[in-house]
Structure formats: structure tokens, C-alpha cells
Amino acid sequence: MAGLAAAGFAAALPVGAAADDGASPHPFGPETVEAMARALVSRPFDGAFPPLPAALAQLDYDGWRDIRFRPDRALLGETGGPFRLQLFHRGFLYPRPVDVSLVRDGVATPVRYDPALFNFGRTRIDGPLPADLGFAGIRIHAPLNRPDRLDELIVFVGASYFRFLGQDQLYGLSARGLAIGTDGAQEEFPLFRAFFIEVPPAGATTLTIHALLDGPSTVGAYRFVVEPGRETVLRVSATLYPRQTLSAVGIAPLTSMFFINETDRGHSDDYRPELHDSDGLQLATGSGEWLWRPLDNPRERRISTFLDRDPKGFGLLQRDRSFASYQDLEAGYERRPGYFVEPEGAWGEGRVVLVELPTDNETADNIVAFWRPKAPYPAGEPVRLGYRLRALAAEALHPNGWVVNTFTAEAAASGAARRAPDQASLRSRRFLIDFGGGTLETLIADSSPPEIVATASIGRITATSIVPNPHIGGFRVALDVRVDGPGTTELRAYLRKGEQALTETWSYPWSVA
């Protein structure tokens, strides 16, 4: 077979498997992929794969997209279960083959390539294609939004990337199996070499997918249990077998796009007010604090770290759900999901890392977030991890108030004549934060408003104010901040009443040249 056979897949099969060509049926159990990973890690990484025929290698995006799996040939339906499996054709950005097997009654049977599985549309391929061509990835359909219609539920294609949807959601951000060196000079992209999909029974409400990860630095055995619903839940368990010490590893990585919003429109004069798949990083720390960091399209690469111990969760969310904020009839940015990672078990000391890269368009994924453990994972020592990944719409993750909007402006009275910027004015800025939700609406008419708790890591906060904002059921806070020289100040603010925190903590970096 074209995929793992080239990398010694047959030798990685469990003892007793029929492995004459790496493509025969073989016994499959809960530990099978871990056994494959242990066998594979004993050998150096082999990234070679059979080249694509020229006609496929030369396809552009439209040509590749025109090759579609025939819905009437979808797999997994023979037992009457609700899930259907389709496959992606190799080509365009996806030249590398992956092996796909179906698991029935403890036996994994490979799915063999057949061009009759696909409708090639307007794409013309001269001559026969290799019988061992393989596939580029997989996607699963299920009755997500209506019981009488199959909707796309989850997709795995390209390296270790995957995306999944909850009800009434459209694809936006992506998740990955693993990130390595993302915030360094050279990033490594480990890849899923093989998928094993358990054929579900008729009454199944979940689908289990096993995957074998491979890369220069590590091998991994993954198990995904996907449960479709209003907020589709993906339970991920993984065992990593490092080939070398993993000091720049990113656990549960998320990748998204942020171009413009109401805070910074200097990158574009597009008629659409906002363009982003996610607008903030949500953190639930091990100490119980909830933190919100609005995303940015920075002038140069920015890396932010949030130290923590045993985090309760982190994710990239699309909090703004108003069509008026985007005005895009085609892209549907207001329907893009947020992904929230909830660790299972204690992850120990480490940090959530947020990488923001500059971009001049809305097609580039320029945002990455992941967990990095404080202690590197040593070579040769298995690492077991588990977490839950949720596809969220506008659900509140915590009972307190949350950040609805962030605005920045000149630190001057509203309506004042605008001055030409000088050195002094460039080092002062006003930040306006709308807090809504929780119990804030009950306090709007209170004669004593909530207290603002605000800090700046460098510089100083020269003035604060708070006024009711009934439009969001909360309050608008204004912070005037001044710094005395070049640098970046980390701003934080939340509202409290007495000793009780009423809101999550707003966190924002402001850089001055």
C-alpha cells in the first residue's frame, strides 16, 4: 500500500497480524495503535512517499475540489448507524497518502483506492491511476442539524489538522493533533499516517476514530470519540512516544484567523466591519480565574504566555455573533465555532501560549494557541494525555460577566478637536471595555457601581471611569493608560463588588514604539 508500507507499516502491525503487504485485514483492539506507535518509534522518521502522477500534482485548488467522493459510495452505513465516511482524493496541497481502515468485530480491513469512488467533475485525468494511490484524508457525515439530512461533522486532512462542527455552525478555525516548534524559528508538522474507524452499531450516538501520528520528533497513538450535538464534543486521548526530547511541544493546538475588527482597522478598508474566525482567547486557570484576551493582527509576530498549573481549560472563541459585525452574506463569520479545550486529569505546571502573526488578508491562519508543559517530555518515555474539545457557539462558559467589546481611542474628551499626533499623545491611550452578563444587569440601577480593578505591567493608569451600558446588560469601563517609553504593557481589568469578582479578567497587550 502506498501510505505506511513505505514507512515500514507492515513491521509496525501487532504480532500475529497478516502483514504481507501492509494492506491485509488484521486483528484490531484497544492497544493496537499504541503497539504500532511503539514499533514505529524504534526506527528513524521516514517522510518519503510515492510521488503523485503529474496530472494530480499539477492540480490547483479548484481542480482538486472538483474531485468529490460519491455520496452513494459512503462507508459505515451497512449496520444502519447514523454516520457515513467519505474520503479525500490526493492532489493539490495534499500529496501525501494516508491509510484508512474500517474496524468490524475486532478486525481492521483497509479501504483500497478505487477511482470509481470519486466523481472527477470538470477535472480530467488522462490514463489510469495507480491502484495503490491511497487517500488524502477522511470526513464524516451525520444527521447533525436535521434527522433526515446528513451534514458534514468532522474532517481530517493535511498533517494532523482536523475540524468539526456543532449544530448551525460553519467551518472556521482548526485543531491539530500536535504542534512542535510553532513559536520557534522552524516548525515541525507531524502527520496522521493512518486512520482506523470503528463501524458503529445502528443506535450509536458516538463515533470512534483511531489515528497513528508520526513525525521527526515523536510518534503518537490517538483516539477520538466524536459526539455530535448542539455543541459537538470530541474526547481525545493520546499516547506520545518521543523520538527526541520534546521541549517545544504544543498540546491540543488550535489554529485560527484574525484580520480586522472594531479595535484595529488599519489593515484594510474593506466594507465589512470585521473579518475573523475567532476574536479572543478564553482561559480558565487552575486557580479558578477566567481570563479573556482579545485577538489582534499585530505589526510583527507577538507571542504571549500565560503561566498556569493544572488548567481547567483554554480555547479560541468567536464571541461576536451578530451578522451586523461582519456583513458577509457568503462567509458567515458569525456562525464560526469556537473550540474550547478541557484537560482530563492534572496537566501540571506549564503555560498557554498564544502566537499572533501579521497578515494582510483573511485567508491566512495567523493565530495559534496551545498548552506547553514546563518540563520537556524526555525521549523514550511515553506520555499519556486526555482532553475534551467542544465546538461552541455563543454559550457562556462561566457564570460571571464577560467581555462583550473592546475599543481603543485617543485619551481625550469625546468631541474634542483632533490633534496631530506627537510623542506625548502616542504614549497615552484610552481603552474602553464593555462587561455584560452574569449579575451585572441587576446592578445597573444600583447607586454604587461595581469597582474597577485594573493594573498595567509598565506605565500607569492615569484615569478610570465606569458607566452603565443597558444595551449589553452591563457596564462600560474606560482606562486611560500612559507609558513613559518604548515597550509593551500588559493591561488587566475586571469588576468586583466587595471581595466578589463579578466578571472575567480582561487582558490586553499595548505596544508603544
Side-chain angles (χ1 to χ4, degrees):
M1 195 169 183
L4 286 177
F9 178 47
L13 292 175
V15 175
D20 53 324
D21 62 356
S24 302
H26 60 82
F28 189 95
E31 307 300 324
T32 298
V33 181
E34 289 197 15
M36 292 179 176
R38 287 194 297 270
L40 200 57
V41 77
S42 64
R43 296 186 289 280
F45 172 71
D46 183 359
F49 59 91
L52 280 171
L56 293 174
Q58 295 168 5
L59 289 177
D60 59 13
Y61 173 71
D62 290 330
W64 176 76
R65 187 179 59 173
D66 234 24
I67 306 176
R68 298 180 181 272
F69 196 88
R70 296 181 182 274
D72 61 326
R73 301 294 299 272
L75 306 170
L76 300 182
E78 63 269 29
T79 60
F83 300 96
R84 298 292 182 272
L85 167 66
Q86 296 188 13
L87 304 161
F88 286 103
H89 205 283
R90 292 174 64 196
F92 183 51
L93 297 178
Y94 309 105
R96 185 182 295 277
V98 299
D99 290 287
V100 180
S101 297
L102 301 184
V103 179
R104 302 180 186 87
D105 302 322
V107 175
T109 303
V111 180
R112 299 179 184 275
Y113 174 78
D114 182 350
L117 295 172
F118 297 89
N119 181 342
F120 284 75
R122 293 167 296 178
T123 298
R124 295 290 175 258
I125 305 296
D126 296 327
L129 292 171
D132 61 350
L133 186 66
F135 308 101
I138 66 173
R139 64 179 171 188
I140 303 295
H141 290 74
L144 179 63
N145 296 296
R146 285 172 30 182
D148 60 341
R149 185 181 69 193
L150 292 173
D151 299 300
E152 196 162 301
L153 174 65
I154 186 168
V155 167
F156 291 83
V157 64
S160 70
Y161 284 87
F162 60 94
R163 300 192 293 178
F164 64 105
L165 296 171
Q167 289 176 358
D168 196 35
Q169 295 175 0
L170 301 175
Y171 280 133
L173 80 167
S174 301
R176 278 191 272 174
L178 200 66
I180 297 178
T182 303
D183 52 338
Q186 186 170 358
E187 185 170 7
E188 176 184 320
F189 292 91
L191 53 103
F192 286 131
R193 285 193 178 274
F195 295 99
F196 303 85
I197 301 102
E198 296 186 15
V199 178
T205 58
T206 64
L207 181 71
T208 299
I209 301 170
H210 305 263
L212 178 65
L213 182 92
D214 192 17
S217 298
T218 189
V219 178
Y222 281 72
R223 181 174 182 262
F224 302 91
V225 179
V226 56
E227 181 178 1
R230 184 177 58 85
E231 56 168 59
T232 292
V233 176
L234 196 62
R235 295 187 181 275
V236 184
S237 56
T239 303
L240 303 179
Y241 297 89
R243 282 191 168 101
Q244 54 190 260
T245 298
L246 300 180
S247 57
V249 67
I251 303 299
L254 307 174
T255 301
S256 192
M257 180 277 294
F258 183 93
F259 184 29
I260 57 173
N261 73 348
E262 71 273 12
T263 303
D264 181 5
R265 301 196 48 78
H267 299 282
S268 173
D269 64 353
D270 198 293
Y271 76 92
R272 296 165 294 175
E274 302 186 36
L275 298 169
H276 48 74
D277 288 335
S278 308
D279 54 11
L281 171 69
Q282 177 85 78
L283 299 173
T285 69
S287 65
E289 181 184 28
W290 286 87
L291 184 146
W292 177 256
R293 164 62 71 86
L295 296 178
D296 188 24
N297 181 1
R299 303 294 176 182
E300 56 187 24
R301 185 177 74 158
R302 174 190 292 153
I303 299 176
S304 305
T305 59
F306 304 85
L307 299 178
D308 203 1
R309 181 185 183 93
D310 297 334
K312 292 183 172 64
F314 68 92
L316 295 174
L317 305 185
Q318 184 79 311
R319 189 169 274 185
D320 191 336
R321 294 287 163 180
S322 170
F323 169 77
S325 296
Y326 306 100
Q327 293 292 338
D328 195 312
L329 294 170
E330 183 178 355
Y333 285 108
E334 71 278 3
R335 295 173 59 192
R336 304 292 171 100
Y339 290 167
F340 194 70
V341 177
E342 296 173 323
E344 294 182 347
W347 279 14
E349 290 187 78
R351 58 192 183 273
V352 173
V353 179
L354 174 65
V355 181
E356 298 167 291
L357 303 174
T359 182
D360 60 1
N361 64 77
E362 64 186 287
T363 64
D365 285 340
N366 61 322
I367 305 294
V368 185
F370 53 83
W371 171 260
R372 173 163 295 161
K374 180 179 180 180
Y377 296 148
E381 295 187 15
V383 179
R384 297 184 184 275
L385 295 163
Y387 56 93
R388 191 169 74 144
L389 193 55
R390 299 160 61 189
L392 302 173
E395 294 86 354
L397 289 171
H398 57 90
N400 289 341
W402 55 86
V403 176
V404 179
N405 297 304
T406 298
F407 305 101
T408 69
E410 181 184 2
S414 298
R418 292 294 182 250
R419 302 172 299 168
D422 55 21
Q423 192 77 343
S425 64
L426 291 175
R427 291 182 177 173
S428 296
R429 197 72 177 158
R430 176 166 295 162
F431 298 86
L432 300 105
I433 311 106
D434 282 340
F435 289 101
T439 61
L440 293 180
E441 190 167 16
T442 65
L443 302 176
I444 289 178
D446 198 316
S447 59
S448 176
E451 176 189 0
I452 304 168
V453 182
T455 60
S457 61
I458 64 172
R460 60 191 183 277
I461 298 173
T462 58
T464 65
S465 67
I466 182 170
V467 295
N469 185 348
H471 301 284
I472 61 165
F475 294 84
R476 175 165 292 176
V477 169
L479 308 177
D480 284 1
V481 183
R482 179 174 177 80
V483 296
D484 297 323
T488 298
T489 181
E490 291 285 340
L491 306 174
R492 291 167 64 94
Y494 69 94
L495 300 182
R496 73 180 177 193
K497 195 79 167 177
E499 296 301 317
Q500 180 185 3
L502 301 177
T503 69
E504 65 189 358
T505 300
W506 170 83
S507 171
Y508 197 90
W510 177 41
S511 298
V512 178

